[in-house]
């Protein structure tokens, strides 16, 4: 299973994140080491949105737990977030591959 965690960042995200970034990145790398987080980063050149892709039997739960523990969320840098199951159909790691 895959899940996508999408973040909407506050307007002052780039300046406000500096104090919180080490803890945010540590949380992310811990999730990578557990095999839960596949990829994470920002979309576009600004204003930014975040996208994190989780994998595993409880990918949606992992995404929701990540957001609940993320200092960016707790301190208001993330103004809204959604975690949704992502039904992957294409690619080597797709959970439900569909071929023609």
């Amino acid at each position: 299973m895959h899940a996508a965690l999408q973040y909407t960042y506050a307007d002052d995200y780039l300046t406000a994140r500096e104090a919180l970034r080490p803890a945010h990145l540590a949380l992310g790398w811990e999730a990578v080491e557990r095999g839960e987080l596949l990829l994470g980063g920002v979309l576009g050149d600004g204003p930014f949105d975040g996208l994190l892709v989780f994998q595993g039997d409880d990918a949606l739960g992992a995404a929701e737990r990540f957001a609940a523990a993320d200092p960016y969320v707790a301190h208001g840098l993330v103004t809204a977030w959604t975690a949704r199951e992502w039904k992957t159909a294409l690619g080597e790691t797709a959970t439900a591959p569909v071929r023609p």
Side-chain angles (χ1 to χ4, degrees):
M1 170 191 276
H2 291 101
L5 175 60
Q6 295 175 278
Y7 279 171
T8 301
Y9 290 117
D11 291 338
D12 64 345
Y13 159 74
L14 284 179
T15 55
R17 74 177 181 173
E18 292 309 313
L20 302 170
R21 195 166 194 217
H24 167 78
L25 292 173
L27 182 70
W29 282 108
E30 290 167 5
V32 169
E33 291 168 4
R34 286 191 305 273
E36 296 172 346
L37 180 58
L38 184 61
L39 293 168
V42 295
L43 299 168
D45 293 325
F48 298 104
D49 289 320
L51 179 64
L52 298 100
V53 177
F54 291 81
Q55 63 185 353
D57 292 340
D58 188 27
L60 184 57
E64 291 169 339
R65 288 188 298 276
F66 184 92
D70 191 349
Y72 282 10
V73 173
H75 292 275
L77 271 70
V78 172
T79 59
W81 63 269
T82 57
R84 296 186 298 170
E85 183 180 343
W86 182 19
K87 293 176 175 32
T88 52
L90 297 171
E92 292 297 321
T93 60
T95 55
V98 178
R99 298 193 181 267

